[in-house]
Amino acid sequence: MTLWLIFALMTGAAVFVVLGSLARSRPAVAGAVGADEAVYRDQLEEIARDRARGLIDDREAEGARVEVARRLIAASERGGGAAERTSTSRRRIAAVVALVAVPAIALGAYARLGKPDLPDLPLASRQGEKPDMQNLGDLALRVEKALAANPNDGRGWSVVGPLYMRLGRPNEAATAFSNAIRILGSTPEREADLGEALYAGADGVVTEQARAAFERSVAGETPSPKGAFYLARAAEQDGDVAGAVARLKPLLTKAPEDAPYLDALKGEFQRIAQVPALPPPSPEQASAMKTPNERMAFVKTMVDRLSDRLAQEGGGDVGEWLRLVNARAALGDMDKARDALTAARQKFAADPRATTRLEALALGLGLEGGGA
Amino acid sequence: MIAETGHYALVLALALAILQSVLPLWGARVRDAALMGLAGPLAVAQLAFVALAFAALTHAYVTSDFSVLNVVENSHSAKPLIYKFTGVWGNHEGSLLLWVLILVLFGALVAIFGRNLPQRLKADVLAIQATISVAFLLFVLITSNPFSRVAPAPIEGQDLNPLLQDPGLAIHPPLLYVGYVGFSMAFSFAVAALIEGKIDAAWARWVRPWTLVAWIFLTLGIAMGSYWAYYELGWGGFWFWDPVENASLMPWLSGTALLHCAAVMEKREALKVWTILLALLTFALSLLGTFLVRSGVLTSVHAFAVDPARGVAILIILTVFVGGSLALYAARAPVLKQGGIFAPVSREGALVLNNIFLTAATVAVFVGTLYPLALEALTGEKISVGPPFFNATFGPIMLPLMLVMPFGPLLAWKRGDVGRAARGLVWALGAAIVVTCVVAGFVRGGPTLAPIGIGIGLFAICGAFAEIVERTKLLRAPFADTRARARGLPTSSWGAALAHAGLGVTLIGVVSATAWSSEQVVALKPGEQTRVGRYDVMFDGTEEKRGPNYRAVVAHLTVIEDGAPVAVVEPSRRLYTARKMDIAESGIATFGLSQLYAATAEARGDGATGLRLTYKPLVLLIWLGAVVMGIGGVLSLADRRLRVGAPRKAPRPAPALQPAE
């Protein structure tokens, strides 16, 4: 309410500027011509003053005087133009325009742009405000402030670290985790978190620092699955795919049935297996499959055709075999998938790289190993 | 409530500006004193409301009101107080609000101090000024509203760009804006004269001081910007021919031309039509500068937020005002009566020459700035027009200008005598040649032409005072006589001399700092040292420090001359936590007019710190020259006398005093 009162007063003041000026105005004394003449007369006086101060000599003063006098005469000859008038009707129009246009424009524009119901929120008045628990940024800020006051609060660091990770600020997360380790001591979980933050900060490369953290996280009696997971990824990045699989395999076999990381683990195996994607259907084929059933049938025929081809020719590279196993499993046909896997293993028994990829896929699909 | 009050005040200012752009103009056509009389009070009221809006935004910044979007995006609760004030214009929306504030301030100043202006001229001028503010108020309210709110309000802001967290932000933009916007006054006067179809004597009397004010501020603003870039951006350069810099240089060049032209107009009523055109073009170049900087056409520290809608809006404003005023010029300029005649060799003639040079220089900068942009827009091809282009075009235009500059003030109005002027400059030329030879003989290294550059600069400085020497009969008359004459000289004579000398000072600084600077890029471990110019620099180590909203790694360097430590330099790198920006803060040691400039690179793994050390002899002269120019402008402005250019009747042998400047 106060706000609208202020607006009304401001609008009134604006309108009054116009009305007041209209009421006060009286015909001006100096018209345009008069003003010109005044300037020239001043100039003549100025020449006389300059002469008196010795800035110009007589002849210069005379020359200047002649020129200005000529302008003066020209100006007074131009004179006789209509003097300024004023008319009541025009004044009324102006008054009405001011009365109508000023509030209309101001309120019209403000109605579109303004937020009259939003109060000011200076920070000083918001100390007691409850933080928005949904807003991770706000939460992180609160913890940061507490930490600025007490930088040796290890719990604070271990709370803010995961927040930073979720906010996509891994470098700060790494600082937070290493502070937590420094103050609270090393645990497999903290070391693994630190390594993960370093890994994310390096855009998905296991750096030496990160590897050291992961090594510490698996060194103790209760090795961190996360640490082992990332060490496998480090091995893979070094080109040691077999080593990566060897690292991951015990995780899968030892994992409890309901381990939360099980899906991530299987996904990792499938990623390592590097199954080539199926070729996309051609436009004609795509237009032929409208319903899910038609699509399913189409995929089945394609997979069968692939299987026939691989069986008959006895050829095909490991990619095609991986694709076949993967497709069989995806279609829910686990037995045929296992058959294909066995056939592939026999065929590529001499190729350790292919064997590793096949094993990884088998583990990832749950065709063997535990946890399925 | 305060934020919304500010918002409403801005909207009210728009309403008043619309009235001000219509009613007085109508009044001037029908010669209605009451309607024309509205212009003044409306202009003052407009200033009051825009100032209220500005104060409200400032309040939101100072109290960290994060319900205002602009504050969220550009402030932080831990930001030092001074940057809460300056941060108001350290962003797109706020800087435009400052632009509008200065615009309406100029309008109000005309309303208050323009009592002796002919009423119709005043009404026209204020109405034109109001149309500019309508355009910009609409632009602010529609595309760049600083009072946009956010709900729910975040608890913390995103902080101000760390590059802008510097005292320079308090000075550079307001100075520059007063310069840019000040030219709008010349523009409004020019358009008013075109509408009326006649140039009053008062017109000429008024345009020059306004142009002069704008010019002084623009000069200082550009110099401040250059110095800021020099110490903040960490490259140690003072001018980069960056389009944003050129955008401010163009109105300066044409504004300088306008200033000289307006002097001719005021004294001799000559060059009227050309003065009007220059007034239109100068403001057009100011608008172009605003467009280049604010549209996002360019990426730079000045382009805060890139939004195509804003670029289009400014382009529309630019087209309407430039196109409209030039069309009006084409239609009405022939109506204007040409005034005083003059011989080619005369003060007027010299000023025409000055205008030709300055206009050519403006065109050179214009082409170099806009051609790459136009080419990219049309063909998508990116080319870079860097310093080589400008050195090859701008330099060859400005150097001759500086050579002939001292002749101008020595020529008489209407008809002059080159021989006499040259005699007055013989000593200046002698001094310049001697110094050139000395520099060429004793200073090692650097380009061959550099000593000549120093000589030209010195000639410009000495020549600038030739008029004063002449008129005070220095060394030719008894000292008491000279002193009396010096006291009798109008301050504007001193002003002109200082402004011209300032240009020479800047030139010497540019030549010296470019030709004889020495640079070292090294990685040092604590305890190691290196040599730059005539100084040894010892790296003592680094230290971590915490600022209010940043962490810093400060490098300690000791500057040693002849075995004795003479200065300590502490360049640093600051990591601003809110924006995650890593900023180099240079460290500078000043020795007289020369500086040793140090910047650190990011820390390296091996314990060494990367350092860039530059010794720039006489570098301070660059900005000192601009300050001298500014002081000259202020002196000239302080001279409130009427100006009459007294012509000399016939050439006479005896040396005589020059007419009043």
Side-chain angles (χ1 to χ4, degrees):
Chain A
M1 212 51 228
T2 333
L3 187 67
W4 291 105
L5 193 66
I6 293 173
F7 286 3
L9 286 175
M10 285 164 71
T11 319
V15 173
F16 180 77
V17 167
V18 178
L19 299 185
S21 164
L22 286 174
R24 258 179 305 154
S25 73
R26 53 187 75 86
V29 188
V33 172
D36 270 6
E37 285 176 21
V39 171
Y40 292 136
R41 276 184 214 292
D42 284 353
Q43 284 189 340
L44 285 176
E45 282 168 27
E46 187 67 40
I47 294 169
R49 269 200 298 278
D50 276 0
R51 177 69 204 98
R53 280 158 76 191
L55 285 170
I56 47 176
D57 64 22
D58 277 333
R59 301 179 72 173
E60 282 173 327
E62 188 51 33
R65 207 175 292 135
V66 168
E67 242 192 65
V68 174
R70 213 180 288 141
R71 292 179 207 160
L72 179 61
I73 293 164
S76 40
E77 275 171 0
R78 270 203 309 274
E84 271 103 2
R85 298 156 305 214
T86 172
S87 96
T88 329
S89 63
R90 275 196 292 267
R91 262 197 237 190
R92 274 203 199 114
I93 295 174
V96 170
V97 166
L99 272 172
V100 176
V102 170
I105 295 171
L107 289 173
Y110 185 77
R112 282 186 68 89
L113 302 166
K115 292 263 168 56
D117 44 340
L118 285 189
D120 285 344
L121 283 175
L123 202 63
S125 74
R126 301 174 67 186
Q127 299 305 342
E129 195 177 301
K130 276 194 181 160
D132 178 1
M133 286 302 179
Q134 302 302 312
N135 189 333
L136 297 177
D138 282 4
L139 281 179
L141 273 168
R142 299 238 161 198
V143 185
E144 268 172 15
K145 283 206 175 128
L147 284 171
N150 179 15
N152 280 328
D153 174 11
R155 238 186 44 109
W157 289 115
S158 56
V159 166
V160 80
L163 285 174
Y164 283 140
M165 284 303 278
R166 287 173 64 188
L167 287 166
R169 286 150 63 177
N171 293 327
E172 287 158 275
T175 316
F177 286 129
S178 57
N179 281 338
I181 292 169
R182 178 173 53 81
I183 298 159
L184 299 178
S186 170
T187 66
E189 283 69 35
R190 285 185 197 131
E191 295 287 359
D193 284 344
L194 171 63
E196 188 179 36
L198 292 168
Y199 166 85
D203 292 324
V205 174
V206 183
T207 58
E208 270 318 302
Q209 253 185 310
R211 186 194 296 269
F214 291 133
E215 297 284 5
R216 287 194 296 274
S217 78
V218 295
E221 285 171 11
T222 52
S224 154
K226 189 192 264 180
F229 179 90
Y230 278 105
L231 283 171
R233 191 163 278 188
E236 189 205 351
Q237 283 178 356
D238 290 345
D240 180 9
V241 182
V245 172
R247 278 266 187 203
L248 288 173
K249 203 169 172 181
L251 281 184
L252 191 64
T253 45
K254 283 183 204 155
E257 289 268 325
D258 55 349
Y261 52 84
L262 217 49
D263 283 342
L265 204 52
K266 288 186 174 171
E268 183 73 359
F269 275 119
Q270 292 186 31
R271 205 183 55 75
I272 291 174
Q274 290 176 320
V275 184
L278 282 170
S282 65
E284 303 92 65
Q285 291 167 335
S287 62
M289 4 177 229
K290 294 258 161 43
T291 65
N293 280 342
E294 282 172 356
R295 229 168 285 149
M296 202 64 165
F298 173 78
V299 174
K300 266 202 174 108
T301 16
M302 252 186 61
V303 173
D304 285 340
R305 214 177 295 150
L306 176 64
S307 162
D308 290 348
R309 191 158 55 84
L310 292 181
Q312 278 170 12
E313 293 170 19
D317 58 13
V318 66
E320 283 175 303
W321 280 99
L322 285 165
R323 193 190 286 159
L324 178 64
V325 175
N326 195 36
R328 289 281 191 220
L331 290 169
D333 207 339
M334 289 302 177
D335 291 335
K336 280 194 179 166
R338 267 191 203 100
D339 293 346
L341 183 68
T342 318
R345 279 201 166 141
Q346 281 168 0
K347 185 169 159 53
F348 294 102
D351 180 351
R353 239 188 118 72
T355 312
T356 313
R357 281 172 75 186
L358 287 165
E359 187 188 4
L361 184 64
L363 289 165
L365 293 174
L367 296 175
E368 58 188 51
Chain B
M1 201 168 75
I2 292 173
E4 290 302 313
T5 306
H7 199 173
Y8 189 71
L10 204 57
V11 176
L12 260 181
L14 172 67
L16 291 180
I18 292 174
L19 289 194
Q20 191 191 329
S21 64
V22 177
L23 293 179
L25 204 59
W26 179 37
R29 298 288 76 70
V30 297
R31 293 167 184 263
D32 187 316
L35 294 183
M36 287 192 276
L38 281 175
L42 279 173
V44 175
Q46 217 195 119
L47 170 65
F49 283 117
V50 174
L52 187 62
F54 195 82
L57 187 62
T58 310
H59 176 265
Y61 266 88
V62 172
T63 58
S64 294
D65 183 344
F66 295 122
S67 68
V68 177
L69 182 62
N70 194 245
V71 181
V72 178
E73 287 174 346
N74 299 292
S75 195
H76 190 281
S77 60
K79 193 168 72 169
L81 189 63
I82 172 178
Y83 303 133
K84 287 184 180 167
F85 279 103
T86 61
V88 175
W89 58 78
N91 60 82
H92 172 81
E93 291 82 359
S95 70
L96 275 168
L97 192 60
L98 178 69
W99 210 98
V100 174
L101 178 68
I102 294 171
L103 184 73
V104 295
L105 174 70
F106 271 103
L109 287 179
V110 171
I112 294 167
F113 294 110
R115 293 191 200 288
N116 56 355
L117 274 178
Q119 205 180 10
R120 286 176 63 185
L121 180 62
K122 186 173 167 186
D124 282 337
V125 165
L126 287 176
I128 303 301
Q129 190 78 2
T131 54
I132 304 174
S133 65
V134 169
F136 276 89
L137 279 171
L138 278 175
F139 179 59
V140 167
L141 284 169
I142 295 172
T143 69
S144 328
N145 198 325
F147 291 106
S148 294
R149 306 291 296 273
V150 268
I155 198 77
E156 191 51 273
Q158 295 157 11
D159 208 356
L160 177 67
N161 182 345
L163 284 173
L164 301 179
Q165 296 197 26
D166 185 276
L169 183 64
I171 312 167
H172 166 64
L175 284 181
L176 206 61
Y177 277 15
V178 172
Y180 272 174
V181 179
F183 287 127
S184 73
M185 269 344 296
F187 174 85
S188 297
F189 269 95
V191 172
L194 288 171
I195 292 175
E196 279 288 311
K198 107 185 216 307
I199 299 181
D200 300 279
W203 192 95
R205 201 165 142 47
W206 269 79
V207 168
R208 212 184 68 98
W210 287 115
T211 312
L212 194 52
V213 169
W215 181 87
I216 294 168
F217 279 94
L218 192 58
T219 306
L220 296 177
I222 292 175
M224 181 66 219
S226 156
Y227 189 61
W228 188 10
Y230 165 76
Y231 73 72
E232 180 71 31
L233 294 182
W235 312 326
F238 49 86
W239 192 263
F240 305 95
W241 293 110
D242 174 279
V244 172
E245 292 171 321
N246 295 347
S248 65
L249 185 62
M250 286 189 278
W252 187 84
L253 289 169
S254 69
T256 310
L258 173 62
L259 196 61
H260 289 86
C261 244
V264 178
M265 259 224 49
E266 186 178 0
K267 292 183 181 169
R268 300 272 305 136
E269 298 209 344
L271 304 178
K272 283 182 184 174
V273 179
W274 173 240
T275 308
I276 295 231
L277 183 61
L278 266 184
L280 299 182
L281 289 181
T282 302
F283 185 57
L285 289 170
S286 296
L287 283 182
L288 180 75
T290 312
F291 168 69
L292 286 179
V293 174
R294 288 282 168 270
S295 62
V297 170
L298 308 167
T299 333
S300 86
V301 64
H302 295 84
F304 298 116
V306 176
D307 178 353
R310 291 172 180 167
V312 172
I314 302 183
L315 204 55
I316 292 172
I317 295 177
L318 189 67
T319 316
V320 169
F321 280 97
V322 178
S325 64
L326 288 182
L328 191 66
Y329 177 79
R332 303 287 288 181
V335 180
L336 298 174
K337 265 209 300 193
Q338 280 290 11
I341 44 165
F342 53 88
V345 177
S346 62
R347 186 82 74 92
E348 294 95 320
L351 289 169
V352 169
L353 194 65
N354 140 312
N355 269 245
I356 292 171
F357 276 116
L358 284 174
T359 314
T362 313
V363 170
V365 178
F366 186 86
V367 169
T369 310
L370 289 191
Y371 176 69
L373 294 176
L375 192 71
E376 196 190 329
L378 293 176
T379 66
E381 188 187 346
K382 271 185 191 287
I383 61 162
S384 168
V385 172
F389 171 84
F390 294 101
N391 291 344
T393 55
F394 188 73
I397 296 171
M398 288 309 273
L399 285 181
L401 173 62
M402 296 190 65
L403 276 179
V404 296
M405 185 173 73
F407 286 87
L410 290 175
L411 293 170
W413 291 101
K414 207 161 178 182
R415 66 185 77 80
D417 183 347
V418 178
R420 234 171 62 87
R423 278 197 295 281
L425 288 171
V426 167
W427 64 274
L429 189 64
I433 290 174
V434 169
V435 169
T436 304
C437 294
V438 169
V439 170
F442 284 91
V443 181
R444 311 239 159 264
T448 329
L449 287 178
I452 297 176
I454 300 283
I456 294 177
L458 197 74
F459 177 63
I461 297 174
C462 295
F465 291 101
E467 191 206 1
I468 288 175
V469 168
E470 185 93 336
R471 282 165 65 168
T472 55
K473 302 197 170 169
L474 185 69
L475 304 184
R476 280 178 297 142
F479 182 69
D481 189 15
T482 299
R483 207 174 55 186
R485 281 166 180 274
R487 218 173 272 151
L489 277 181
T491 49
S492 62
S493 284
W494 291 102
L498 279 180
H500 285 181
L503 202 57
V505 172
T506 297
L507 178 69
I508 293 180
V510 170
V511 170
S512 167
T514 321
W516 295 296
S517 81
S518 37
E519 187 176 73
Q520 282 286 335
V521 180
V522 287
L524 295 184
K525 289 183 176 157
E528 291 181 333
Q529 63 178 38
T530 185
R531 192 170 175 80
V532 186
R534 52 206 193 87
Y535 298 100
D536 288 310
V537 178
M538 160 82 90
F539 177 50
D540 303 322
T542 58
E543 176 195 4
E544 294 228 8
K545 278 191 180 163
R546 270 192 91 85
N549 52 349
Y550 60 85
R551 292 194 297 270
V553 180
V554 183
H556 292 277
L557 301 169
T558 308
V559 184
I560 300 161
E561 187 181 18
D562 302 329
V566 286
V568 174
V569 190
E570 298 187 333
S572 62
R573 292 200 78 83
R574 291 183 181 173
L575 178 72
Y576 281 82
T577 36
R579 287 223 178 189
K580 317 282 166 256
M581 272 176 77
D582 179 32
I583 301 295
E585 287 282 314
S586 61
I588 293 176
T590 304
F591 306 100
L593 294 167
S594 310
Q595 289 192 325
L596 187 102
Y597 182 103
T600 49
E602 280 167 67
R604 297 158 24 128
D606 57 358
T609 300
L611 290 167
R612 169 196 286 266
L613 303 164
T614 317
Y615 176 66
K616 290 186 176 287
L618 300 186
V619 70
L620 280 180
L621 285 183
I622 297 173
W623 305 291
L624 215 58
V627 173
V628 172
M629 280 187 243
I631 294 174
V634 171
L635 283 182
S636 192
L637 193 65
D639 191 353
R640 299 280 303 145
R641 297 172 320 116
L642 290 158
R643 285 130 202 266
V644 188
R648 191 162 288 134
K649 286 245 113 170
R652 285 161 306 154
L657 281 170
Q658 290 291 321
E661 165 70 29

